[in-house]
Amino acid sequence: MDLSSNSESKVPVLQTATALAISFMICKIGAYLTQLCKIQGGTLPTVTAIVVFLATLFPAQFGYLAPAGDTLAMVLMQVKNVVSSFVYWCLIKCLFQELTP
């Protein structure tokens, strides 16, 4: 039995927490700026512009958070799969209820 630790397979907790905190702040700032300028539907482009601007200014810091992005993407894909399966199940159930007399 091998008890040695493998740091490559561990979830980067500090990086993940930092990435979540920065993402939350960027989204809140983007939403605030969009409301301040009264631009309907402009939150996503504003957040994207902020991220590109910050990643250009601080490439090393955002590069440090990249492994956390991979981890978050993997978790969110699993959540999407569970939600999609539930939605498909509900649609099929509703469809069969309408077809049966």
Side-chain angles (χ1 to χ4, degrees):
M1 181 160 73
D2 184 21
L3 297 177
S4 64
S5 67
N6 184 2
S7 63
E8 292 177 5
S9 65
K10 292 183 182 179
V11 177
V13 178
L14 180 60
Q15 291 171 330
T16 303
T18 305
L20 280 173
I22 290 172
S23 298
F24 179 76
M25 288 177 20
I26 290 171
C27 289
K28 290 303 269 183
I29 291 169
Y32 175 75
L33 289 175
T34 303
Q35 287 178 349
L36 186 67
C37 296
K38 296 182 171 115
I39 302 171
Q40 273 188 322
T43 304
L44 187 59
T46 304
V47 169
T48 303
I50 292 170
V51 168
V52 169
F53 179 74
L54 290 175
T56 303
L57 284 180
F58 307 108
Q61 289 80 1
F62 276 79
Y64 169 75
L65 297 176
D70 295 340
T71 304
L72 288 174
M74 184 176 58
V75 170
L76 291 176
M77 283 192 301
Q78 295 305 317
V79 170
K80 180 208 61 98
N81 288 339
V82 170
V83 171
S84 296
S85 297
F86 178 73
V87 169
Y88 292 146
W89 179 80
C90 289
L91 287 173
I92 290 171
K93 184 178 176 183
C94 291
L95 180 66
F96 281 118
Q97 284 179 351
E98 288 182 9
L99 293 177
T100 56

